[in-house]
Amino acid sequence: MHDSGTGSTGNTSQPARRTVLAATAGLTAALAMSAQPADGADGSASGAAAGDTSDRRLRALISRMTLEEKVGQLFVMRVYGHSATAPDQADIDANLKEIGVRTAAELLARYRVGGIIYFAWAHNTRDPHQIAALSNGIQRSSLGLPRGLPVLISTDQEHGIVARVGKPATLLPGAMALGAGGSRGDAREAGRIGGAELRAMGIRQNYAPVADVNVNPANPVIGIRSFGADPEAVAGLVAAQVKGYQSAGIAATSKHFPGHGDTEVDSHYGFPKIEHTREEWARLDAPPFRAAIRAGIDSVMTAHIMVPALDPAEDPATLSRPILTGILREELGYDGVVVTDSLGMEGVRTKYGDDRVPVLALKAGVDQLLNPPKLDVAWNAVLNAVRNGELTEARLDESILRILRLKSKLGLFKKPYVTDAGVDRVVGTRAHLAAADRIAARTTTLLVNERRLLPLSRRTHRKILVVGADPASPSGTTGPPTTVLATALTELGFTATALSTGTAPTQAVIDQAVAAARGVDAVVAGTYNVTAASTQRTLVERLVATGVPVVAIAVRNPYDVARLPGVGACLASYSWTDTELRAAARVVAGRVAPRGRLPVPVQRADDPAQVLYPVGYGLSY
């Protein structure tokens, strides 16, 4: 049987009291000692800022765990499937191939993992009710085991271009868009809304906000996931988001320590090297992490980067005791949970084998080991390291205590389950969707407006052609971007048609777009990371040459404007999610004035040493 989770009788409903008591029999003592406040009616934590479970009682729990259970508690693992017990056959096959188990329930029974991470590609996040049902199934499976503990369920819901839970959940502007808006209040509100919705679906740890300062325009992995290039501005927004998320009763995670903002290598595929001196690190990279710690951040994620000035051994920061213990723990005074970035990424696997990485991470000061490529290899490596004396059981206990403190703070010992009613009251509500649109309206940045082309008038520019790149939806939005823009402009009183031209339009596609442009009053072109050799640039140049006014919207990095000479107007939306594209359309139509200001500088394309548009630049009308 498959979990339905779609109606009032589905598995997202609160389990009957008898079911809960039976499932949590192994935790009776732990639950009895916990004095967590109950969740509010909307699924948020009415008192989640602090738990009453004392360290003494948590240590008593740890003392009753077997060594194998302790090792498992340190891992956060992926698992395929929409259900904890009855996933689709394709997901069973994927689990067997990658993990050696069939289901999430079997994963928990075999390895006793302390956390599970949700991904859309693992089919964990189909819709809010299904997610809640999966979360309940995971908790039920774990709590039903001898000495069973609640599971800390996590995901990457940064918003913007990285979000694992899509519509009908609320999708909010991402970090760089919020950086353009410049409002700490908006950043906090976005965190509160996003956090409340995650909690309602049973997700209690969010790997956000990004605390990296994006000082390198060529950064392939951070970019618009960062709030910007100014360390103090980023620090203020990071602290605001931390407070927003954690006020909703979920754990926020600042990442990627000690700072991934100045790299030209993606640590998913290589091993980046940061050349900052110790002084540059303190000035550029450290402020947002300091601010997150001051704001009470629950967890910090490590980066798979080499920073020789911080550790001459040139180990990845994830495996560096000088960085994680010496700087993060001792210098910055952080005593919360430290979680690795995914251990399947190349940046942490370049120097050491998969059997050494988890052991070295623990020796460096890590608490949670995230998503190893082969769980059996990593799990057994930690187990054997304790048995042969390389790691002490006391070292494991130290990390497990931090993890259990966090689970206690989040109310997981008291209320591990969520409800259908809570999902309906919180996720994707009209109020949340309206707030997302209001916040997005303050982020769109107008960089070029020749002869006051914008806002477009419905009298003089009624007929619009929308062309451009249609990258895959970053977060379960409806998309594609050209269609979203055309639909939004039509709803605003224009007659707009969409023509997808892609990220690398061919000559035939360019000719088709130019032909279509000859019968319209204006062209809106969505651009996506335009380079010197990009045929997107050729497309825009050919469209400008027709004499039809061209409005460019950079739907990812704002740096596109430097390679689009001749356009009548250029805006930056900082993402191609529906929320941010609709906001850009309202700016084009004059329904709202552009208020965003560049949170990063844009250099000249022909001379990167010269700044074309500085931080803080932005036009309005």
Side-chain angles (χ1 to χ4, degrees), residues 217-228:
N219 193 324
V221 65
I222 304 300
I224 56 172
R225 297 167 61 197
S226 163
F227 289 104

Side-chain angles (χ1 to χ4, degrees), residues 70-247:
K70 289 180 178 182
V71 171
Q73 196 65 204
L74 304 173
F75 283 93
V76 181
M77 190 59 185
R78 69 191 179 278
V79 64
Y80 290 85
H82 72 288
S83 160
T85 54
D88 294 340
Q89 187 61 49
D91 292 323
I92 291 173
D93 294 342
N95 284 329
L96 286 169
K97 180 180 179 181
E98 294 186 18
I99 316 172
V101 299
R102 294 165 48 86
T103 66
E106 289 184 13
L107 168 67
L108 290 159
R110 180 175 299 183
Y111 290 104
R112 305 299 289 262
V113 296
I116 285 179
I117 179 172
Y118 286 172
F119 292 104
W121 52 259
H123 310 136
N124 304 139
T125 58
R126 291 181 179 177
D127 65 75
H129 284 285
Q130 168 270 319
I131 296 169
L134 175 60
S135 299
N136 281 348
I138 286 169
Q139 300 295 0
R140 193 178 298 114
S141 297
S142 184
L143 291 168
L145 297 167
R147 298 170 303 283
L149 292 168
V151 177
L152 188 53
I153 297 171
S154 61
T155 199
D156 292 279
Q157 192 79 352
E158 298 172 14
H159 294 277
I161 68 166
V162 176
R164 311 307 187 197
V165 181
K167 287 189 173 182
T170 305
L171 293 162
L172 293 132
M176 193 168 285
L178 292 171
S183 168
R184 295 181 184 182
D186 282 352
R188 182 167 183 162
E189 179 71 353
R192 185 195 64 79
I193 290 170
E197 296 200 4
L198 290 177
R199 184 178 172 96
M201 293 178 278
I203 299 169
R204 302 290 182 97
Q205 184 178 23
N206 188 20
Y207 297 138
V210 170
D212 303 315
V213 181
N214 200 67
V215 296
N216 188 341
N219 193 324
V221 65
I222 304 300
I224 56 172
R225 297 167 61 197
S226 163
F227 289 104
D230 179 80
E232 295 307 319
V234 172
L237 293 168
V238 164
Q241 283 238 291
V242 168
K243 292 173 182 175
Y245 281 124
Q246 294 187 181
S247 73

